Amino acid sequence: DQQVKQNSPSLSVQEGRISILNCDYTNSMFDYFLWYKKYPAEGPTFLISISSIKDKNEDGRFTVFLNKSAKHLSLHIVPSQPGDSAVYFCAASALGSARQLTFGSGTQLTVLP
Amino acid sequence: DTGVSQNPRHKITKRGQNVTFRCDPISEHNRLYWYRQTLGQGPEFLTYFQNEAQLEKSRLLSDRFSAERPKGSFSTLEIQRTEQGDSAMYLCASSLGTRGPGNTIYFGEGSWLTVV
């Protein structure tokens, strides 16, 4: 049972345009959501997070939106840059689970120059 | 560099051999995690430590796997009698261990295991 789903395995975007990566979850106990960026042969790098008490969090070019009723979150990157090309993982944690993370399967973002 | 450190970064071993990976977490972090990642999948939780106590283990962690964190600082993950299915990237991560939703987990660069 996949509790965190990233239904788009890949996304291509032109440099300077907006990248929107989506993530859905099924476990209503999740209250903290994170996005990680991963290059090949490296560990995931923390990007941005959001608590369930918020619906938006912004950090520079990165904004995460949370829609609790739809159990959906998205990561917006504006403007997209070629260096953003990587695999992006959505992850979630719940109280009482040692705050361990449940990950989606990732979306490969390619930003075309 | 004060991030999570893992070694070795790459290990090729013959089936049936034992391997050990080491992780040094961020110094002030009391919670340490081990994850495993295979191609095309997100990382999967294996186990975690609160200081030196191993408090949770995933069903993915078979009897051939053992993890320790003897002094609440570095940790080791040992795989005995390796099988080809053990080939994966083993990721160590650490966090401050807050109960609240702000518990961000930081990952190391991973240790690649190839079992031939």
Side-chain angles (χ1 to χ4, degrees):
Chain A
D1 177 27
Q2 208 175 357
Q3 298 185 64
V4 178
K5 297 180 183 178
Q6 293 177 257
N7 292 318
S8 298
S10 63
L11 174 68
S12 291
V13 172
Q14 208 67 36
E15 181 180 4
R17 307 295 288 268
I18 184 172
S19 295
I20 300 176
L21 296 99
N22 293 304
C23 178
D24 297 293
Y25 62 96
T26 57
N27 188 342
S28 58
M29 299 303 291
F30 288 147
D31 64 354
Y32 189 52
F33 304 89
L34 307 90
W35 284 93
Y36 288 84
K37 174 181 178 180
K38 188 178 183 301
Y39 294 114
E42 293 185 9
T45 302
F46 170 70
L47 206 54
I48 192 170
S49 63
I50 188 167
S51 165
S52 60
I53 61 173
K54 295 185 175 181
D55 54 18
K56 177 182 174 181
N57 189 26
E58 191 171 355
D59 183 1
R61 296 186 298 113
F62 303 91
T63 303
V64 56
F65 295 92
L66 175 62
N67 183 333
K68 282 177 58 181
S69 60
K71 294 191 174 66
H72 177 83
L73 64 155
S74 61
L75 174 67
H76 293 209
I77 306 173
V78 182
S80 301
Q81 300 173 353
D84 296 330
S85 297
V87 177
Y88 288 78
F89 288 100
C90 169
S93 72
L95 180 66
S97 64
R99 288 290 168 191
Q100 59 154 293
L101 298 175
T102 301
F103 282 84
S105 54
T107 296
Q108 171 70 58
L109 173 66
T110 302
V111 180
L112 305 167
Chain B
D1 187 350
T2 58
V4 179
S5 176
Q6 292 187 245
N7 67 81
R9 294 290 316 280
H10 303 274
K11 179 73 176 178
I12 300 174
T13 190
K14 291 184 178 179
R15 189 177 54 182
Q17 298 293 304
N18 299 344
V19 296
T20 299
F21 299 111
R22 175 180 169 125
C23 172
D24 290 272
I26 294 171
S27 59
E28 64 268 26
H29 286 183
N30 54 38
R31 197 168 280 176
L32 186 148
Y33 305 80
W34 284 99
Y35 285 76
R36 180 174 70 185
Q37 184 177 19
T38 53
L39 285 175
Q41 300 297 320
E44 295 175 294
F45 170 77
L46 292 178
T47 188
Y48 99 98
F49 293 83
Q50 178 80 30
N51 299 311
E52 67 275 11
Q54 187 175 16
L55 297 183
E56 189 170 337
K57 292 195 284 188
S58 160
R59 57 178 172 77
L60 294 176
L61 212 65
S62 77
D63 291 344
R64 297 184 296 106
F65 288 68
S66 62
E68 294 183 345
R69 195 183 182 195
K71 297 182 180 179
S73 56
F74 74 92
S75 175
T76 58
L77 177 68
E78 181 183 18
I79 308 173
Q80 296 182 326
R81 305 181 303 281
T82 52
E83 301 173 356
Q84 287 186 324
D86 297 332
S87 296
M89 174 180 266
Y90 290 85
L91 292 160
C92 178
S94 68
S95 73
L96 282 171
T98 57
R99 281 178 56 81
N103 186 59
T104 299
I105 296 176
Y106 297 90
F107 285 83
E109 294 189 329
S111 293
W112 270 110
L113 173 64
T114 302
V115 181
V116 297

